[in-house]
């Protein structure tokens, strides 16, 4: 009977076995150990442990407190570096050259470095490769040819919401090999014609269904693809609100499956490391590269951002809960600045977090009316005042040389608009019974707090529009869904503020500050100029539909502000209150491609309001 190879001597275990606290059994050649050979890992001795043990053998008196402290620090540094530094996983070589493979790295990869892409005929397959999804050849050009849609997405769309790091080194070959679903989604959202996008969207849904449901797969590629589709989706404006809400729920479930909202427990990680030689498959990989780590952190933050916006726009689900782990991820991205656009992305997340806190306060306030609600409104108003102060401090911290500063300013003004509208909603004031006014409908004379919130909203809308006008027309083409949602809600709220019937409210002062019809004319002009851009050689793109909406709304406003006498406004549905921004039912049924929707929405004021 052959004897099994002996274990390594004490202190001579390789790096991987030492970290996993596993028995290190050398192969007969002595060049590697059986565990590293089985897991396809490079077997390296633990130099620091060996030196420390040899030092103690020859110098027994050297085991001082300081030496033990140094040893502990070395162990901690090795464990930390195992997360921050690793080899870039090799990929399968392709004889036809269809993919650019990742070459093994022998040097440390810093956070500021992108993965190195190249070809290697001797590269070995990664032990845990990403699932490869079937993609039709028509979705991307053959290898070696430029991808105009990928370039358009990278240059014209991603800078407005940079949650992906797609530097020049991130070639189409690498995406086709490692992020095929993301690449598929990029080609879908960069198809600007609505009719042409339908076919790609159907393929997107089939691939997603087979991967996420039929095969029950959860991968970072799936998550990034879904987030990209949601960020630049046109469905909420074209009768597809149901699809968007379901995709948002799916994205949140993928975040939970991938354990991105919080790390796996230490016990789970140790058990997986001991039994299988790797970390928890549903948690952060202890050997993942810094690039992959930042990719996952950006993904969970983007999911929070999008879920918060979609929750406000459609009102169908809550936003992803903010966790301390997500706060840590935000700090890591802010400190490392591995991607030039990370500063903008971090600022966008911090702004959205303030908006979400205001939304959480409003939800807590719902359910009570009358005296009880009024009694609880004072702490809420103080909290909103704190949020407003934090928002102004955050705005003052923005660097003047920050790219896409106009995009960031529009978001900041919208966040303050949301805070002010939240203050209007929760600042109920009890009225005497003889007033004969039902507080459930929030009618009656405005109090000082509500009056202040509404006038601040007028100023926010004006500032948002000023930032909107400063954006070049060419850049309007690639703006994400939440940008256009902000425009629609700002114009809608301006309509309410321009026609609000209340003895304490001066509608004429609103019109003198931001005139409703003039504003719509200016917005229409910007949209029409953008439609002349060479990329928009079709008549069914999103900007055409948005122009149609603003044009119809302008006709409604002109009929009521210029033609109808001021004394008869009450007969045309003017209300005494303003609804919450996420409780406008017509937004959830919006279909700008259906004329019947316009007739139902604009022909019936109570529906449009």
């Amino acid at each position: 009977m052959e004897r099994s190879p002996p274990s390594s001597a004490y202190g001579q275990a390789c790096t991987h076995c030492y970290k996993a606290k596993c028995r290190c059994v050398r192969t007969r050649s002595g060049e590697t150990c059986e565990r590293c050979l089985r897991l396809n890992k490079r077997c390296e001795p633990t130099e620091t442990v060996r030196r420390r043990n040899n030092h103690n053998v020859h110098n027994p008196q050297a085991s001082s407190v300081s030496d033990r402290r140094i040893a502990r620090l070395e162990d901690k540094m090795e464990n930390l570096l195992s997360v921050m530094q690793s080899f870039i996983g090799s990929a399968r070589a392709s004889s036809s050259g269809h993919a650019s493979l990742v070459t093994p790295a022998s040097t440390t990869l810093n956070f500021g470095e992108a993965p190195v892409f190249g070809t290697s005929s001797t590269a070995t397959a990664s032990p845990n490769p990403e699932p490869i999804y079937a993609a039709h050849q028509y979705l991307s050009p053959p290898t070696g040819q430029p991808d105009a849609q990928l370039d358009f997405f990278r240059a014209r769309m991603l800078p407005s919401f940079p949650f992906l790091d797609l530097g020049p080194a991130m070639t189409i070959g690498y995406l086709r090999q490692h992020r095929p679903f993301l690449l598929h989604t990029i080609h879908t959202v960069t198809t600007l014609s609505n009719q042409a996008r339908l076919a790609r969207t159907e393929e997107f849904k089939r691939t997603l269904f087979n991967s996420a449901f039929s095969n029950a797969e959860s991968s970072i590629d799936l998550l990034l693809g879904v987030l990209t589709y949601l960020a630049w989706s046109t469905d909420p404006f074209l009768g597809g609100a149901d699809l968007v809400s379901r995709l948002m729920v799916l994205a949140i479930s993928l975040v939970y499956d991938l354990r991105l909202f919080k790390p796996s427990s230490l016990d789970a990680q140790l058990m997986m490391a001991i039994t299988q030689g790797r970390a928890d498959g549903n948690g952060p990989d202890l050997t993942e590269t810094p690039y992959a780590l930042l990719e996952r952190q950006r993904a969970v933050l983007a999911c929070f951002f999008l879920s918060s916006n979609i929750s406000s726009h459609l009102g169908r689900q809550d936003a992803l809960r903010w966790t301390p782990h997500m706060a840590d991820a935000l700090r890591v991205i802010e400190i490392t600045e591995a991607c030039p656009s990370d500063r903008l992305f971090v600022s966008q997340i911090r702004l959205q977090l303030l908006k979400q806190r205001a939304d959480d306060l409003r939800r807590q306030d719902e359910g009570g009316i009358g005296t009880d609600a009024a009694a609880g409104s004072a702490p809420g108003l103080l909290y909103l005042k704190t949020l407003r102060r934090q928002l102004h401090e955050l705005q003052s911290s923005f660097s003047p040389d920050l790219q896409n500063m106009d995009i960031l300013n529009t978001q900041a003004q919208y966040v303050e608009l949301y805070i002010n509208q939240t203050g209007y909603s929760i600042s109920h004031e009890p009225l005497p019974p003889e007033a004969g006014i039902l507080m459930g409908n929030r009618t009656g004379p405005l109090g000082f707090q509500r009056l202040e919130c509404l006038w601040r909203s007028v100023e926010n809308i004006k500032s948002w529009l000023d930032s909107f006008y400063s954006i070049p027309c060419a850049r309007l083409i690639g703006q994400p869904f939440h940008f256009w949602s902000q425009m629609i809600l700002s114009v809608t709220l301006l309509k309410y503020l321009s026609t609000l019937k209340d003895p304490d409210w001066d509608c004429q002062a609103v019109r003198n500050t931001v005139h409703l019809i003039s504003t719509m004319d200016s917005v229409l002009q910007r949209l029409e100029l953008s439609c002349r851009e060479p990329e928009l050689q079709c008549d069914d793109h999103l900007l055409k539909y948005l122009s149609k909406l603003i044009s119809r709304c302008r006709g409604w406003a002109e009929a009521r502000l210029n033609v109808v006498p001021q004394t008869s406004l009450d007969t045309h549905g003017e209300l005494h209150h303003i609804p919450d921004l996420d409780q406008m039912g017509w937004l959830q049924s919006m279909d700008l491609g259906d004329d019947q929707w316009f007739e139902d929405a604009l022909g019936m004021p109570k529906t449009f309001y």
Side-chain angles (χ1 to χ4, degrees):
M1 179 181 296
E2 294 184 359
R3 299 178 58 187
S4 59
S7 302
S8 300
Y10 179 78
Q12 301 299 317
C14 72
T15 302
H16 296 293
C17 292
Y18 167 73
K19 292 176 181 177
K21 296 181 175 59
C22 295
R23 181 171 174 238
C24 185
V25 180
R26 310 301 298 179
T27 60
R28 297 191 180 280
S29 64
E31 296 180 356
T32 183
C33 71
E34 293 183 351
R35 183 172 177 275
C36 290
L37 181 63
R38 184 178 71 257
L39 299 177
N40 196 23
K41 295 182 178 181
R42 178 178 295 183
C43 187
E44 294 181 340
T46 312
E47 297 292 343
T48 56
V49 176
R50 179 189 301 170
R51 287 197 302 268
R52 184 166 64 248
N53 290 341
N54 292 339
H55 175 73
N56 292 337
V57 170
H58 297 291
N59 301 280
Q61 303 299 326
S63 304
S64 61
V65 176
S66 60
D67 291 335
R68 290 195 297 271
R69 184 179 302 167
I70 293 174
R72 287 196 299 270
L73 289 175
E74 288 178 344
D75 291 340
K76 291 181 179 180
M77 287 298 299
E78 289 178 357
N79 291 333
L80 179 61
L81 291 176
S82 68
V83 178
M84 301 299 181
Q85 303 171 351
S86 65
F87 300 104
I88 301 177
S90 302
R92 294 185 179 90
S94 175
S95 58
S96 60
H98 279 355
S100 297
L101 301 181
V102 183
T103 59
S106 58
T107 58
T108 301
L109 179 65
N110 296 323
F111 274 102
E113 298 176 350
V116 181
F117 307 108
T119 57
S120 174
S121 59
T122 60
T124 57
S126 171
N128 299 304
E130 289 282 350
I132 303 300
Y133 308 101
H136 296 293
Q137 293 297 324
Y138 77 87
L139 292 177
S140 59
T143 302
Q145 296 184 10
D147 187 344
Q149 287 183 277
L150 177 60
D151 292 340
F152 180 84
F153 178 79
R154 181 186 285 127
R156 303 282 292 276
M157 302 177 74
L158 189 59
S160 297
F161 184 50
F163 76 98
L164 295 171
D165 183 5
L166 296 182
M170 189 72 71
T171 63
I172 184 175
Y174 177 84
L175 291 175
R176 187 185 288 113
Q177 178 71 18
H178 297 278
R179 297 289 182 264
F181 188 69
L182 173 61
L183 181 62
H184 182 170
T185 309
I186 290 175
H187 286 103
T188 300
V189 299
T190 52
T191 303
L192 302 181
S193 169
N194 181 59
Q195 188 65 31
R197 180 183 283 206
L198 290 177
R200 294 183 181 270
T201 299
E202 289 302 316
E203 179 65 23
F204 166 85
K205 291 190 292 185
R206 282 194 296 269
T207 304
L208 181 61
F209 180 86
N210 291 334
S211 301
F213 295 100
S214 297
N215 301 329
E217 295 174 353
S218 297
S219 70
I220 189 65
D221 184 30
L222 272 183
L223 177 60
L224 294 178
V226 174
L227 294 177
T228 300
Y229 185 87
L230 288 171
W232 283 274
S233 175
T234 60
D235 295 310
F237 309 120
L238 298 172
D242 292 338
L243 174 62
V244 170
S245 62
R246 282 161 177 76
L247 288 179
M248 192 69 257
V249 173
L250 175 60
I252 294 176
S253 71
L254 289 174
V255 166
Y256 277 79
D257 288 344
L258 296 171
R259 305 291 295 179
L260 300 184
F261 71 105
K262 66 178 181 179
S264 300
S265 65
L266 181 60
D267 292 341
Q269 294 186 39
L270 289 177
M271 183 59 66
M272 293 294 293
I274 292 173
T275 59
Q276 301 186 27
R278 61 184 178 86
D280 181 7
N282 289 330
D285 186 357
L286 295 179
T287 62
E288 69 179 347
T289 65
Y291 181 89
L293 176 64
L294 290 175
E295 183 181 51
R296 295 164 65 91
Q297 291 174 330
R298 292 189 187 97
V300 66
L301 296 176
C303 187
F304 163 78
F305 183 98
L306 293 172
S307 65
S308 177
N309 274 308
I310 291 176
S311 173
S312 298
H313 186 85
L314 300 180
R316 301 191 182 189
Q317 72 271 324
D318 294 336
L320 179 66
R321 180 172 56 88
W322 183 263
T323 64
H325 183 63
M326 294 161 65
D328 292 339
L330 185 62
R331 284 193 291 269
V332 169
I333 295 176
E334 183 177 26
I335 292 173
T336 58
E337 290 190 8
C339 181
S341 58
D342 277 345
R343 285 199 301 165
L344 174 64
F345 180 65
V346 167
S347 298
Q348 289 177 320
I349 299 299
R350 293 197 184 281
L351 286 172
Q352 194 66 26
L353 184 57
L354 293 176
K355 177 263 174 190
Q356 188 57 42
R357 288 171 179 169
D359 184 54
D360 293 340
L361 175 65
R362 183 187 60 80
R363 293 178 185 276
Q364 293 174 8
D365 184 75
E366 287 178 347
I369 60 175
T371 304
D372 293 338
S377 63
L381 291 174
L382 290 176
Y383 181 68
L384 291 177
K385 184 177 181 180
T386 301
L387 291 182
R388 193 181 294 113
R389 176 180 55 80
Q390 293 175 351
L391 173 62
H392 294 164
E393 291 176 353
L394 181 59
Q395 285 182 274
S396 63
S397 68
F398 293 159
S399 176
D401 60 344
L402 191 65
Q403 293 183 352
N404 294 318
M405 191 65 182
D406 43 12
I407 300 297
L408 198 59
N409 286 333
T410 58
Q411 184 186 350
Q413 294 302 326
Y414 175 76
V415 170
E416 186 167 4
L417 176 65
Y418 197 92
I419 292 174
N420 290 325
Q421 284 302 298
T422 302
Y424 167 80
S425 300
I426 69 173
S427 58
H428 311 305
E429 295 192 1
L431 297 177
E434 58 268 21
I437 299 175
L438 179 62
M439 285 304 296
N441 290 333
R442 298 180 184 177
T443 61
L446 293 172
F448 174 77
Q449 296 288 355
R450 307 183 84 191
L451 190 65
E452 181 184 25
C453 291
L454 290 184
W455 188 252
R456 286 179 179 269
S457 298
V458 175
E459 296 174 342
N460 295 144
I461 293 173
K462 183 178 185 303
S463 298
W464 192 96
L465 291 168
D466 290 340
S467 298
F468 172 76
Y469 300 146
S470 68
I471 300 175
C473 293
R475 287 175 51 205
L476 290 178
I477 299 175
Q479 293 305 312
F481 151 75
H482 59 263
F483 176 85
W484 299 116
S485 173
Q486 292 172 15
M487 184 197 74
I488 293 175
L489 289 172
S490 296
V491 174
T492 301
L493 186 56
L494 178 60
K495 189 271 299 186
Y496 286 118
L497 294 170
S498 300
T499 58
L500 181 63
K501 293 294 294 181
D502 191 280
D504 296 334
W505 185 246
D506 189 352
C507 293
Q508 190 59 47
V510 177
R511 298 168 194 170
N512 293 338
T513 305
V514 193
H515 196 273
L516 179 60
I517 295 180
S518 298
T519 294
M520 292 184 180
D521 288 337
S522 299
V523 172
L524 278 172
Q525 182 182 14
R526 300 291 297 175
L527 293 176
E528 290 172 0
L529 289 175
S530 301
C531 291
R532 300 174 188 175
E533 292 295 317
E535 293 84 1
L536 297 179
Q537 300 299 322
C538 55
D539 293 329
D540 60 344
H541 53 79
L542 177 61
L543 269 62
K544 281 284 187 181
Y545 291 121
L546 292 174
S547 297
K548 183 179 179 181
L549 173 65
I550 299 299
S551 179
R552 296 289 184 94
C553 291
R554 187 194 184 283
W556 178 93
E558 187 175 24
R560 282 152 179 78
L561 297 182
N562 293 346
V563 178
V564 180
Q566 187 73 17
T567 56
S568 62
L569 282 176
D570 286 338
T571 63
H572 291 267
E574 302 303 330
L575 298 184
H576 297 266
H577 75 283
I578 299 176
D580 293 336
L581 294 182
D582 59 351
Q583 293 183 353
M584 300 179 184
W586 61 275
L587 282 175
Q588 301 183 25
S589 64
M590 181 182 293
D591 189 353
L592 303 183
D594 184 4
D595 288 334
Q596 184 61 44
W597 179 86
F598 280 98
E599 182 178 346
D600 295 339
L602 301 185
M604 300 175 61
K606 63 180 181 180
T607 303
F608 186 72
Y609 296 166

